[in-house]
Amino acid sequence: MKRTFLLIVMAVCTCIAHAETTVGTGVPGISLTTQKKPGIYMGGWGNIGGAHAEIEMNGMTGEFEYSGIKRKLKFVSYNKRTKILVLNEYDQRGRYIGKFVGHYEEFYVPEKQMTCMSYQGTFTNTKGKKAEFMLYYD
């Protein structure tokens, strides 16, 4: 329950890499202050290579879990024009495992009055093996 709540909070508070973070007033479009923060903020679930997966990014670092395996993530880059997000994955000891490269997009859904996200692409490990992934929050 705590993890699900955190994923929901992270997804609602999502901001794109190097985008402005606003302190809200509760009124759409009106904010008190803005501040530049590097990285990406998101949370969601989906699948990788057919296995259930969850992702959580809190700026420059995050976590990825699939099939009961937990990995650490590090933000590499985000291109606002192409919407390509690159994240590196590491095991719990800090050894590099591979790279996520995919299309990351946020969109507002008026019916739900919330910001949703999708991140889909290809994960490539150090041996060159590839797995398709699709992660989202809606």
Side-chain angles (χ1 to χ4, degrees):
M1 181 70 169
K2 186 176 179 183
R3 182 171 181 86
T4 301
F5 177 74
L6 181 59
L7 285 172
I8 291 169
V9 169
M10 292 299 296
V12 172
C13 297
T14 303
C15 72
I16 294 178
H18 302 288
E20 291 185 354
T21 300
T22 60
V23 177
T25 61
V27 179
I30 299 175
S31 62
L32 297 175
T33 61
T34 60
Q35 169 183 5
K36 299 262 185 190
K37 290 193 173 191
I40 191 134
Y41 296 79
M42 69 166 166
W45 52 85
N47 65 68
I48 182 166
H52 176 76
E54 293 184 18
I55 190 169
E56 181 181 319
M57 283 297 296
N58 190 15
M60 299 300 289
T61 61
E63 288 187 350
F64 184 72
E65 184 174 347
Y66 65 99
S67 300
I69 301 168
K70 290 185 180 185
R71 301 289 195 205
K72 295 179 182 184
L73 297 173
K74 288 188 181 177
F75 174 83
V76 175
S77 66
Y78 179 72
N79 183 311
K80 289 183 193 180
R81 186 180 55 75
T82 63
K83 299 186 185 237
I84 297 298
L85 172 64
V86 179
L87 302 173
N88 282 347
E89 181 181 277
Y90 300 86
D91 67 14
Q92 294 301 314
R93 294 169 141 181
R95 292 180 295 207
Y96 177 74
I97 299 296
K99 180 182 293 193
F100 289 89
V101 178
H103 183 264
Y104 176 79
E105 189 168 6
E106 293 181 348
F107 46 95
Y108 184 74
V109 179
E111 305 85 53
K112 294 184 178 187
Q113 296 185 336
M114 62 188 286
T115 300
C116 298
M117 74 86 181
S118 70
Y119 182 38
Q120 58 186 352
T122 304
F123 173 79
T124 306
N125 70 15
T126 55
K127 297 176 183 175
K129 288 201 167 203
K130 297 178 185 279
E132 300 297 313
F133 67 87
M134 170 58 179
L135 303 163
Y136 59 92
Y137 177 80
D138 62 0

